[in-house]
Amino acid sequence: MPIDEIEISRRIVGRFFDEFMDSLELDVAIVGAGPSGLTAARYLADAGKKVAVFERKLSPGGGMWGGGIGYPVVIVQKESKEILEEVGVRLRDEGSGYYSANSIEAVSKLCASAIDSGARIFNGFSVEDVVVKDEKISGLVINLSTIEAANLHVDPICIRAKYSIDATGHPAEICRVVEEKIGRLNTPTGRIEKERYMHAEMGEKMVVENTKEVYPGLFVTGMAANAVFGAPRMGPIFGGMLLSGKKAAEEILKRL
Ligand code: 48F
């Protein structure tokens, strides 16, 4: 078979646009492919929902790749370990309820399992705004990250979703857009309460409690949930991220 450059290009563009066209109307749109977003994506897709994750960077995985200080090891606690075991991550029992995982293995398997379940991950896409209809978030405004990085004045395009999830980590970018443009979030002050100091035990507990609908149609998960509700950070223990992603999926499934 002769290999032709244009035929290669045709197939790349063709497949991408087939998948992208099929993702313009979703059950759930997830912003950010860190551990919480990837976990939510897997559970939602496993339940048969149409899910896409939009990730600014080329590599999904967020803050999990580097483990602690760049050593590729993360810790999870007993209550969350089955979420990693379900996707085939091998854990080492470190005693006293702590389990360690290789962070590269964990990210790879969280990504692969989300895709195997039917979720799509669109990397190189930044979400810059929300679509609001009848006081509910009904979609996301997306642009290519390359356009964002080059600071080009190019208009974005939109996707529709019954529910969206802010899984953008510490910056809580989508909730920040809602705060700035609508000025009303489901927090005690109606605004972003700001992430607090390190307290691993409180941070891990509160990240699950804080996983909820913050504006009609928008859920928050992972570190973004603690940033929005003024709860502590927890460092390289990742069980709370996984449990939070699972809870976001469960809450949304009750409503779909
Ligand atoms: O930061 P990140 O891993 O979020 P997470 O799932 O997990 C947090 C932990 O990694 C760690 C921690 C746990 O102890 O504190 O920080 O809450 O992943 C967030 C992803 O969202 C992407 C970003 O590139 C990253 O991969 N992201 C952020 N803003 C946008 C975005 C945006 N506006 N559009 C698209 N992607």
Short mmCIF file of all heavy atoms in Angstrom, two decimals, residues 131-200:
data_model
loop_
_atom_site.label_atom_id
_atom_site.label_comp_id
_atom_site.label_asym_id
_atom_site.label_seq_id
_atom_site.Cartn_x
_atom_site.Cartn_y
_atom_site.Cartn_z
N VAL A 131 -22.29 28.91 29.17
CA VAL A 131 -23.52 29.34 28.50
C VAL A 131 -24.62 29.27 29.56
O VAL A 131 -24.74 28.25 30.24
CB VAL A 131 -23.89 28.39 27.33
CG1 VAL A 131 -25.13 28.91 26.59
CG2 VAL A 131 -22.72 28.22 26.37
N VAL A 132 -25.39 30.34 29.72
CA VAL A 132 -26.46 30.35 30.74
C VAL A 132 -27.80 30.56 30.04
O VAL A 132 -27.96 31.51 29.26
CB VAL A 132 -26.22 31.46 31.79
CG1 VAL A 132 -27.30 31.42 32.86
CG2 VAL A 132 -24.85 31.31 32.42
N LYS A 133 -28.72 29.65 30.31
CA LYS A 133 -30.10 29.79 29.79
C LYS A 133 -31.05 29.57 30.95
O LYS A 133 -30.91 28.58 31.69
CB LYS A 133 -30.39 28.73 28.72
CG LYS A 133 -29.53 28.83 27.47
CD LYS A 133 -30.24 29.61 26.35
CE LYS A 133 -29.31 29.96 25.22
NZ LYS A 133 -29.02 28.82 24.36
N ASP A 134 -32.03 30.45 31.12
CA ASP A 134 -33.02 30.32 32.19
C ASP A 134 -32.37 30.10 33.55
O ASP A 134 -32.76 29.20 34.31
CB ASP A 134 -34.00 29.16 31.89
CG ASP A 134 -34.72 29.38 30.57
OD1 ASP A 134 -35.04 30.54 30.27
OD2 ASP A 134 -34.93 28.39 29.85
N GLU A 135 -31.33 30.86 33.84
CA GLU A 135 -30.62 30.80 35.12
C GLU A 135 -30.04 29.43 35.42
O GLU A 135 -29.94 29.01 36.57
CB GLU A 135 -31.52 31.27 36.27
CG GLU A 135 -32.00 32.69 36.03
CD GLU A 135 -32.53 33.36 37.27
OE1 GLU A 135 -32.28 32.86 38.37
OE2 GLU A 135 -33.19 34.41 37.11
N LYS A 136 -29.67 28.70 34.37
CA LYS A 136 -29.00 27.40 34.55
C LYS A 136 -27.83 27.34 33.56
O LYS A 136 -27.97 27.83 32.42
CB LYS A 136 -30.01 26.27 34.25
CG LYS A 136 -29.44 24.88 34.39
CD LYS A 136 -30.51 23.80 34.15
CE LYS A 136 -30.00 22.40 34.43
NZ LYS A 136 -29.00 21.88 33.52
N ILE A 137 -26.74 26.75 34.01
CA ILE A 137 -25.62 26.59 33.08
C ILE A 137 -25.97 25.46 32.12
O ILE A 137 -26.20 24.32 32.54
CB ILE A 137 -24.32 26.34 33.86
CG1 ILE A 137 -23.97 27.67 34.54
CG2 ILE A 137 -23.19 25.87 32.92
CD1 ILE A 137 -22.80 27.65 35.42
N SER A 138 -26.02 25.81 30.84
CA SER A 138 -26.48 24.83 29.85
C SER A 138 -25.37 24.44 28.89
O SER A 138 -25.60 23.66 27.97
CB SER A 138 -27.67 25.38 29.07
OG SER A 138 -27.26 26.53 28.35
N GLY A 139 -24.17 24.97 29.10
CA GLY A 139 -23.08 24.58 28.21
C GLY A 139 -21.80 25.33 28.54
O GLY A 139 -21.76 26.13 29.47
N LEU A 140 -20.78 25.03 27.76
CA LEU A 140 -19.47 25.62 27.99
C LEU A 140 -18.97 26.32 26.73
O LEU A 140 -19.31 25.91 25.61
CB LEU A 140 -18.46 24.53 28.37
CG LEU A 140 -18.75 23.73 29.65
CD1 LEU A 140 -17.74 22.59 29.80
CD2 LEU A 140 -18.71 24.64 30.88
N VAL A 141 -18.15 27.31 26.95
CA VAL A 141 -17.55 28.07 25.85
C VAL A 141 -16.09 27.63 25.77
O VAL A 141 -15.34 27.77 26.75
CB VAL A 141 -17.66 29.58 26.14
CG1 VAL A 141 -17.05 30.39 25.01
CG2 VAL A 141 -19.12 29.96 26.39
N ILE A 142 -15.70 27.09 24.62
CA ILE A 142 -14.37 26.47 24.55
C ILE A 142 -13.55 27.09 23.41
O ILE A 142 -14.09 27.57 22.42
CB ILE A 142 -14.47 24.94 24.35
CG1 ILE A 142 -15.20 24.60 23.06
CG2 ILE A 142 -15.17 24.29 25.54
CD1 ILE A 142 -15.30 23.11 22.81
N ASN A 143 -12.25 27.04 23.62
CA ASN A 143 -11.34 27.52 22.59
C ASN A 143 -10.11 26.63 22.58
O ASN A 143 -9.86 25.90 23.55
CB ASN A 143 -10.93 28.98 22.88
CG ASN A 143 -10.74 29.79 21.61
OD1 ASN A 143 -10.33 29.23 20.58
ND2 ASN A 143 -11.02 31.07 21.67
N LEU A 144 -9.35 26.68 21.52
CA LEU A 144 -8.11 25.90 21.49
C LEU A 144 -7.10 26.53 22.45
O LEU A 144 -6.97 27.76 22.49
CB LEU A 144 -7.53 25.88 20.08
CG LEU A 144 -8.34 25.13 19.03
CD1 LEU A 144 -7.68 25.26 17.65
CD2 LEU A 144 -8.47 23.65 19.41
N SER A 145 -6.42 25.70 23.21
CA SER A 145 -5.41 26.22 24.14
C SER A 145 -4.30 26.95 23.40
O SER A 145 -3.69 27.88 23.93
CB SER A 145 -4.79 25.09 24.96
OG SER A 145 -5.78 24.41 25.65
N THR A 146 -4.03 26.54 22.18
CA THR A 146 -2.98 27.22 21.39
C THR A 146 -3.39 28.67 21.10
O THR A 146 -2.56 29.57 21.13
CB THR A 146 -2.73 26.47 20.07
OG1 THR A 146 -4.00 26.13 19.49
CG2 THR A 146 -1.93 25.21 20.29
N ILE A 147 -4.68 28.86 20.86
CA ILE A 147 -5.18 30.23 20.62
C ILE A 147 -5.06 31.04 21.91
O ILE A 147 -4.62 32.19 21.91
CB ILE A 147 -6.63 30.18 20.09
CG1 ILE A 147 -6.61 29.67 18.65
CG2 ILE A 147 -7.32 31.54 20.21
CD1 ILE A 147 -7.95 29.52 18.00
N GLU A 148 -5.43 30.41 23.04
CA GLU A 148 -5.32 31.07 24.34
C GLU A 148 -3.86 31.44 24.61
O GLU A 148 -3.55 32.57 25.00
CB GLU A 148 -5.85 30.13 25.42
CG GLU A 148 -5.85 30.70 26.82
CD GLU A 148 -6.23 29.65 27.87
OE1 GLU A 148 -5.52 28.63 28.01
OE2 GLU A 148 -7.23 29.85 28.57
N ALA A 149 -2.95 30.48 24.38
CA ALA A 149 -1.54 30.71 24.70
C ALA A 149 -0.94 31.82 23.83
O ALA A 149 -0.10 32.59 24.28
CB ALA A 149 -0.75 29.41 24.52
N ALA A 150 -1.38 31.89 22.58
CA ALA A 150 -0.84 32.90 21.67
C ALA A 150 -1.55 34.24 21.85
O ALA A 150 -1.21 35.22 21.19
CB ALA A 150 -0.98 32.44 20.22
N ASN A 151 -2.55 34.24 22.75
CA ASN A 151 -3.31 35.47 23.03
C ASN A 151 -3.93 36.06 21.77
O ASN A 151 -3.92 37.28 21.56
CB ASN A 151 -2.37 36.49 23.71
CG ASN A 151 -3.15 37.46 24.57
OD1 ASN A 151 -4.34 37.24 24.83
ND2 ASN A 151 -2.52 38.54 24.96
N LEU A 152 -4.41 35.18 20.89
CA LEU A 152 -5.02 35.64 19.65
C LEU A 152 -6.48 36.04 19.91
O LEU A 152 -7.16 35.40 20.71
CB LEU A 152 -4.98 34.52 18.59
CG LEU A 152 -3.59 34.05 18.18
CD1 LEU A 152 -3.71 32.92 17.16
CD2 LEU A 152 -2.78 35.19 17.61
N HIS A 153 -6.90 37.05 19.22
CA HIS A 153 -8.28 37.53 19.37
C HIS A 153 -9.17 36.70 18.44
O HIS A 153 -9.52 37.12 17.34
CB HIS A 153 -8.33 39.01 19.03
CG HIS A 153 -9.63 39.65 19.39
ND1 HIS A 153 -9.83 41.00 19.40
CD2 HIS A 153 -10.81 39.11 19.75
CE1 HIS A 153 -11.06 41.28 19.75
NE2 HIS A 153 -11.69 40.14 19.97
N VAL A 154 -9.52 35.49 18.89
CA VAL A 154 -10.31 34.57 18.06
C VAL A 154 -11.50 34.10 18.89
O VAL A 154 -11.31 33.65 20.03
CB VAL A 154 -9.47 33.34 17.64
CG1 VAL A 154 -10.34 32.35 16.87
CG2 VAL A 154 -8.29 33.76 16.79
N ASP A 155 -12.68 34.20 18.33
CA ASP A 155 -13.87 33.80 19.08
C ASP A 155 -13.91 32.30 19.33
O ASP A 155 -13.46 31.51 18.50
CB ASP A 155 -15.13 34.23 18.32
CG ASP A 155 -15.63 35.58 18.82
OD1 ASP A 155 -15.58 35.80 20.04
OD2 ASP A 155 -16.05 36.39 17.99
N PRO A 156 -14.49 31.92 20.46
CA PRO A 156 -14.60 30.50 20.82
C PRO A 156 -15.82 29.86 20.15
O PRO A 156 -16.57 30.54 19.45
CB PRO A 156 -14.80 30.56 22.32
CG PRO A 156 -15.54 31.86 22.53
CD PRO A 156 -15.05 32.80 21.48
N ILE A 157 -16.04 28.58 20.41
CA ILE A 157 -17.28 27.90 20.04
C ILE A 157 -17.89 27.30 21.32
O ILE A 157 -17.26 27.34 22.38
CB ILE A 157 -17.07 26.82 18.95
CG1 ILE A 157 -16.06 25.77 19.40
CG2 ILE A 157 -16.67 27.47 17.64
CD1 ILE A 157 -15.92 24.61 18.43
N CYS A 158 -19.09 26.73 21.21
CA CYS A 158 -19.81 26.27 22.41
C CYS A 158 -20.25 24.82 22.28
O CYS A 158 -20.49 24.33 21.17
CB CYS A 158 -21.07 27.11 22.62
SG CYS A 158 -20.68 28.85 22.83
N ILE A 159 -20.37 24.19 23.44
CA ILE A 159 -20.99 22.86 23.49
C ILE A 159 -22.15 22.93 24.48
O ILE A 159 -22.14 23.77 25.38
CB ILE A 159 -19.98 21.76 23.89
CG1 ILE A 159 -19.31 22.09 25.23
CG2 ILE A 159 -18.91 21.57 22.84
CD1 ILE A 159 -19.74 21.20 26.31
N ARG A 160 -23.14 22.05 24.29
CA ARG A 160 -24.28 22.00 25.21
C ARG A 160 -24.11 20.80 26.13
O ARG A 160 -23.66 19.73 25.70
CB ARG A 160 -25.58 21.86 24.41
CG ARG A 160 -26.78 22.07 25.28
CD ARG A 160 -28.15 22.03 24.64
NE ARG A 160 -28.26 21.87 23.22
CZ ARG A 160 -28.57 22.88 22.38
NH1 ARG A 160 -28.75 24.10 22.82
NH2 ARG A 160 -28.69 22.65 21.08
N ALA A 161 -24.48 20.97 27.42
CA ALA A 161 -24.41 19.85 28.37
C ALA A 161 -25.51 19.99 29.39
O ALA A 161 -25.81 21.10 29.85
CB ALA A 161 -23.05 19.84 29.08
N LYS A 162 -26.12 18.85 29.74
CA LYS A 162 -27.17 18.90 30.77
C LYS A 162 -26.55 19.30 32.11
O LYS A 162 -27.15 20.02 32.89
CB LYS A 162 -27.84 17.53 30.89
CG LYS A 162 -28.67 17.19 29.65
CD LYS A 162 -29.29 15.81 29.75
CE LYS A 162 -29.93 15.42 28.43
NZ LYS A 162 -29.88 13.99 28.16
N TYR A 163 -25.35 18.80 32.37
CA TYR A 163 -24.60 19.20 33.57
C TYR A 163 -23.14 19.42 33.19
O TYR A 163 -22.62 18.74 32.31
CB TYR A 163 -24.70 18.13 34.67
CG TYR A 163 -26.05 18.14 35.33
CD1 TYR A 163 -27.05 17.27 34.91
CD2 TYR A 163 -26.35 19.06 36.34
CE1 TYR A 163 -28.31 17.30 35.49
CE2 TYR A 163 -27.60 19.11 36.92
CZ TYR A 163 -28.58 18.23 36.49
OH TYR A 163 -29.82 18.29 37.05
N SER A 164 -22.50 20.35 33.90
CA SER A 164 -21.07 20.57 33.74
C SER A 164 -20.41 20.39 35.09
O SER A 164 -21.05 20.56 36.14
CB SER A 164 -20.79 21.98 33.22
OG SER A 164 -21.38 22.15 31.95
N ILE A 165 -19.14 20.03 35.06
CA ILE A 165 -18.38 19.85 36.30
C ILE A 165 -17.11 20.70 36.23
O ILE A 165 -16.34 20.59 35.26
CB ILE A 165 -17.97 18.38 36.53
CG1 ILE A 165 -19.19 17.45 36.53
CG2 ILE A 165 -17.20 18.23 37.84
CD1 ILE A 165 -18.84 15.96 36.73
N ASP A 166 -16.90 21.52 37.25
CA ASP A 166 -15.64 22.23 37.39
C ASP A 166 -14.66 21.32 38.12
O ASP A 166 -14.79 21.10 39.33
CB ASP A 166 -15.86 23.54 38.18
CG ASP A 166 -14.57 24.36 38.29
OD1 ASP A 166 -13.47 23.79 38.07
OD2 ASP A 166 -14.65 25.56 38.60
N ALA A 167 -13.72 20.76 37.38
CA ALA A 167 -12.67 19.91 37.96
C ALA A 167 -11.31 20.52 37.65
O ALA A 167 -10.36 19.82 37.31
CB ALA A 167 -12.79 18.48 37.39
N THR A 168 -11.25 21.85 37.76
CA THR A 168 -10.04 22.56 37.32
C THR A 168 -8.98 22.70 38.40
O THR A 168 -7.99 23.40 38.21
CB THR A 168 -10.39 23.98 36.78
OG1 THR A 168 -10.99 24.74 37.85
CG2 THR A 168 -11.34 23.91 35.61
N GLY A 169 -9.17 22.05 39.56
CA GLY A 169 -8.14 22.08 40.60
C GLY A 169 -8.11 23.40 41.35
O GLY A 169 -9.13 24.11 41.43
N HIS A 170 -6.94 23.74 41.88
CA HIS A 170 -6.81 24.92 42.77
C HIS A 170 -7.44 26.21 42.21
O HIS A 170 -8.06 26.95 42.98
CB HIS A 170 -5.33 25.16 43.10
CG HIS A 170 -4.69 24.04 43.86
ND1 HIS A 170 -4.62 23.99 45.24
CD2 HIS A 170 -4.11 22.89 43.43
CE1 HIS A 170 -4.01 22.87 45.62
NE2 HIS A 170 -3.70 22.19 44.53
N PRO A 171 -7.33 26.53 40.93
CA PRO A 171 -7.87 27.83 40.48
C PRO A 171 -9.40 27.89 40.38
O PRO A 171 -9.95 28.98 40.26
CB PRO A 171 -7.26 28.03 39.08
CG PRO A 171 -6.36 26.90 38.82
CD PRO A 171 -6.57 25.85 39.86
N ALA A 172 -10.07 26.75 40.42
CA ALA A 172 -11.55 26.70 40.32
C ALA A 172 -12.04 27.65 39.22
O ALA A 172 -12.89 28.51 39.45
CB ALA A 172 -12.16 27.06 41.68
N GLU A 173 -11.51 27.45 38.04
CA GLU A 173 -11.70 28.46 36.97
C GLU A 173 -13.14 28.68 36.56
O GLU A 173 -13.53 29.80 36.24
CB GLU A 173 -10.86 28.07 35.73
CG GLU A 173 -9.39 28.26 35.96
CD GLU A 173 -8.57 28.26 34.68
OE1 GLU A 173 -9.10 28.54 33.60
OE2 GLU A 173 -7.37 27.96 34.79
N ILE A 174 -13.94 27.63 36.54
CA ILE A 174 -15.30 27.80 36.03
C ILE A 174 -16.17 28.48 37.10
O ILE A 174 -16.99 29.35 36.80
CB ILE A 174 -15.90 26.44 35.58
CG1 ILE A 174 -14.92 25.74 34.62
CG2 ILE A 174 -17.26 26.63 34.92
CD1 ILE A 174 -14.41 26.58 33.46
N CYS A 175 -15.95 28.09 38.36
CA CYS A 175 -16.67 28.77 39.44
C CYS A 175 -16.29 30.24 39.49
O CYS A 175 -17.11 31.11 39.80
CB CYS A 175 -16.37 28.09 40.77
SG CYS A 175 -17.05 26.43 40.85
N ARG A 176 -15.04 30.53 39.19
CA ARG A 176 -14.58 31.93 39.18
C ARG A 176 -15.32 32.74 38.10
O ARG A 176 -15.68 33.90 38.31
CB ARG A 176 -13.07 31.96 38.94
CG ARG A 176 -12.33 32.90 39.84
CD ARG A 176 -10.85 32.59 39.89
NE ARG A 176 -10.53 31.63 40.93
CZ ARG A 176 -10.48 31.90 42.22
NH1 ARG A 176 -10.72 33.14 42.66
NH2 ARG A 176 -10.18 30.97 43.11
N VAL A 177 -15.54 32.10 36.96
CA VAL A 177 -16.30 32.78 35.89
C VAL A 177 -17.71 33.08 36.39
O VAL A 177 -18.24 34.18 36.19
CB VAL A 177 -16.36 31.89 34.61
CG1 VAL A 177 -17.40 32.41 33.63
CG2 VAL A 177 -14.99 31.80 33.95
N VAL A 178 -18.32 32.09 37.05
CA VAL A 178 -19.70 32.28 37.55
C VAL A 178 -19.71 33.39 38.61
O VAL A 178 -20.58 34.25 38.61
CB VAL A 178 -20.26 30.95 38.12
CG1 VAL A 178 -21.62 31.18 38.78
CG2 VAL A 178 -20.37 29.91 37.02
N GLU A 179 -18.71 33.38 39.48
CA GLU A 179 -18.63 34.42 40.51
C GLU A 179 -18.53 35.81 39.87
O GLU A 179 -19.26 36.73 40.23
CB GLU A 179 -17.42 34.19 41.41
CG GLU A 179 -17.28 35.24 42.50
CD GLU A 179 -15.95 35.14 43.24
OE1 GLU A 179 -14.90 35.02 42.57
OE2 GLU A 179 -15.95 35.16 44.47
N GLU A 180 -17.64 35.91 38.89
CA GLU A 180 -17.43 37.22 38.26
C GLU A 180 -18.62 37.69 37.45
O GLU A 180 -18.99 38.85 37.48
CB GLU A 180 -16.21 37.15 37.32
CG GLU A 180 -14.89 37.36 38.02
CD GLU A 180 -13.71 37.00 37.12
OE1 GLU A 180 -13.84 37.09 35.89
OE2 GLU A 180 -12.67 36.60 37.68
N LYS A 181 -19.23 36.74 36.71
CA LYS A 181 -20.25 37.18 35.74
C LYS A 181 -21.67 37.10 36.27
O LYS A 181 -22.55 37.79 35.78
CB LYS A 181 -20.12 36.35 34.46
CG LYS A 181 -18.77 36.55 33.79
CD LYS A 181 -18.78 36.11 32.36
CE LYS A 181 -17.49 36.53 31.68
NZ LYS A 181 -17.43 36.15 30.29
N ILE A 182 -21.89 36.21 37.25
CA ILE A 182 -23.25 36.07 37.79
C ILE A 182 -23.30 36.56 39.23
O ILE A 182 -24.31 37.08 39.69
CB ILE A 182 -23.75 34.60 37.69
CG1 ILE A 182 -23.61 34.09 36.24
CG2 ILE A 182 -25.21 34.49 38.14
CD1 ILE A 182 -23.98 32.64 36.02
N GLY A 183 -22.17 36.39 39.95
CA GLY A 183 -22.08 36.92 41.31
C GLY A 183 -22.86 36.14 42.34
O GLY A 183 -23.20 36.67 43.40
N ARG A 184 -23.15 34.86 42.02
CA ARG A 184 -23.97 34.11 42.99
C ARG A 184 -23.60 32.62 42.89
O ARG A 184 -23.86 31.97 41.89
CB ARG A 184 -25.45 34.30 42.65
CG ARG A 184 -26.41 33.66 43.61
CD ARG A 184 -27.81 34.26 43.43
NE ARG A 184 -28.23 34.32 42.02
CZ ARG A 184 -28.79 33.32 41.36
NH1 ARG A 184 -28.99 32.16 41.93
NH2 ARG A 184 -29.15 33.47 40.10
N LEU A 185 -22.94 32.12 43.95
CA LEU A 185 -22.62 30.69 44.02
C LEU A 185 -23.28 30.13 45.27
O LEU A 185 -23.56 30.87 46.22
CB LEU A 185 -21.10 30.49 44.13
CG LEU A 185 -20.25 30.73 42.88
CD1 LEU A 185 -18.79 30.87 43.27
CD2 LEU A 185 -20.42 29.60 41.87
N ASN A 186 -23.46 28.81 45.28
CA ASN A 186 -24.10 28.17 46.44
C ASN A 186 -23.09 27.97 47.58
O ASN A 186 -22.83 26.86 48.02
CB ASN A 186 -24.68 26.82 45.97
CG ASN A 186 -25.30 26.04 47.09
OD1 ASN A 186 -25.71 26.61 48.08
ND2 ASN A 186 -25.32 24.72 46.94
N THR A 187 -22.48 29.07 48.02
CA THR A 187 -21.54 29.03 49.15
C THR A 187 -22.11 29.95 50.24
O THR A 187 -23.01 30.75 49.95
CB THR A 187 -20.15 29.57 48.73
OG1 THR A 187 -20.30 30.93 48.32
CG2 THR A 187 -19.53 28.76 47.60
N PRO A 188 -21.58 29.88 51.47
CA PRO A 188 -22.15 30.71 52.53
C PRO A 188 -22.20 32.20 52.18
O PRO A 188 -23.16 32.89 52.53
CB PRO A 188 -21.21 30.46 53.71
CG PRO A 188 -20.67 29.08 53.47
CD PRO A 188 -20.58 28.93 51.98
N THR A 189 -21.19 32.71 51.48
CA THR A 189 -21.19 34.13 51.15
C THR A 189 -21.70 34.40 49.72
O THR A 189 -21.80 35.55 49.31
CB THR A 189 -19.76 34.71 51.21
OG1 THR A 189 -18.96 33.98 50.25
CG2 THR A 189 -19.16 34.59 52.60
N GLY A 190 -21.96 33.33 49.00
CA GLY A 190 -22.38 33.49 47.60
C GLY A 190 -21.19 33.70 46.68
O GLY A 190 -21.33 33.83 45.46
N ARG A 191 -19.98 33.74 47.29
CA ARG A 191 -18.77 33.97 46.50
C ARG A 191 -17.76 32.86 46.78
O ARG A 191 -18.00 31.99 47.61
CB ARG A 191 -18.18 35.34 46.87
CG ARG A 191 -19.22 36.47 46.76
CD ARG A 191 -18.59 37.82 46.75
NE ARG A 191 -17.78 38.07 45.55
CZ ARG A 191 -18.27 38.43 44.37
NH1 ARG A 191 -19.57 38.59 44.20
NH2 ARG A 191 -17.47 38.64 43.34
N ILE A 192 -16.61 32.91 46.11
CA ILE A 192 -15.57 31.91 46.36
C ILE A 192 -14.91 32.22 47.71
O ILE A 192 -14.48 33.35 47.95
CB ILE A 192 -14.54 31.90 45.21
CG1 ILE A 192 -15.21 31.31 43.96
CG2 ILE A 192 -13.28 31.12 45.59
CD1 ILE A 192 -14.37 31.26 42.73
N GLU A 193 -14.84 31.18 48.57
CA GLU A 193 -14.37 31.41 49.94
C GLU A 193 -12.84 31.38 50.06
O GLU A 193 -12.30 31.72 51.09
CB GLU A 193 -14.97 30.35 50.88
CG GLU A 193 -16.48 30.17 50.76
CD GLU A 193 -17.25 31.33 51.38
OE1 GLU A 193 -16.64 32.10 52.11
OE2 GLU A 193 -18.45 31.43 51.11
N LYS A 194 -12.17 30.87 49.05
CA LYS A 194 -10.69 30.78 48.99
C LYS A 194 -10.15 29.57 49.74
O LYS A 194 -10.52 29.32 50.90
CB LYS A 194 -10.00 32.03 49.56
CG LYS A 194 -10.05 33.22 48.66
CD LYS A 194 -9.06 34.26 49.16
CE LYS A 194 -9.30 35.57 48.44
NZ LYS A 194 -9.05 36.72 49.28
N GLU A 195 -9.24 28.88 49.06
CA GLU A 195 -8.58 27.70 49.64
C GLU A 195 -7.78 28.08 50.89
O GLU A 195 -7.22 29.16 50.96
CB GLU A 195 -7.63 27.16 48.56
CG GLU A 195 -6.90 25.93 48.93
CD GLU A 195 -5.92 25.55 47.81
OE1 GLU A 195 -6.32 25.48 46.64
OE2 GLU A 195 -4.73 25.37 48.13
N ARG A 196 -7.74 27.15 51.85
CA ARG A 196 -7.03 27.44 53.10
C ARG A 196 -5.72 26.66 53.19
O ARG A 196 -5.35 25.92 52.29
CB ARG A 196 -7.95 27.15 54.27
CG ARG A 196 -9.11 28.17 54.31
CD ARG A 196 -10.19 27.77 55.26
NE ARG A 196 -9.76 27.86 56.64
CZ ARG A 196 -10.36 27.22 57.63
NH1 ARG A 196 -11.40 26.44 57.38
NH2 ARG A 196 -9.93 27.34 58.85
N TYR A 197 -5.03 26.83 54.32
CA TYR A 197 -3.73 26.20 54.59
C TYR A 197 -3.78 24.68 54.47
O TYR A 197 -4.83 24.08 54.31
CB TYR A 197 -3.29 26.57 56.01
CG TYR A 197 -4.44 26.40 56.99
CD1 TYR A 197 -4.88 25.15 57.38
CD2 TYR A 197 -5.14 27.52 57.47
CE1 TYR A 197 -5.96 24.99 58.23
CE2 TYR A 197 -6.22 27.38 58.32
CZ TYR A 197 -6.63 26.10 58.69
OH TYR A 197 -7.71 25.95 59.51
N MET A 198 -2.61 24.07 54.66
CA MET A 198 -2.52 22.60 54.60
C MET A 198 -3.05 21.98 55.89
O MET A 198 -2.63 22.34 56.99
CB MET A 198 -1.04 22.23 54.42
CG MET A 198 -0.76 20.77 54.44
SD MET A 198 -0.97 20.00 52.83
CE MET A 198 0.56 20.40 52.02
N HIS A 199 -4.00 21.07 55.73
CA HIS A 199 -4.46 20.23 56.85
C HIS A 199 -5.05 18.99 56.18
O HIS A 199 -6.22 18.97 55.77
CB HIS A 199 -5.50 20.95 57.71
CG HIS A 199 -5.82 20.23 58.99
ND1 HIS A 199 -6.20 18.90 59.04
CD2 HIS A 199 -5.81 20.64 60.28
CE1 HIS A 199 -6.43 18.55 60.29
NE2 HIS A 199 -6.18 19.58 61.07
N ALA A 200 -4.19 17.96 56.05
CA ALA A 200 -4.54 16.82 55.18
C ALA A 200 -5.84 16.14 55.63
O ALA A 200 -6.69 15.81 54.80
CB ALA A 200 -3.39 15.82 55.15
#
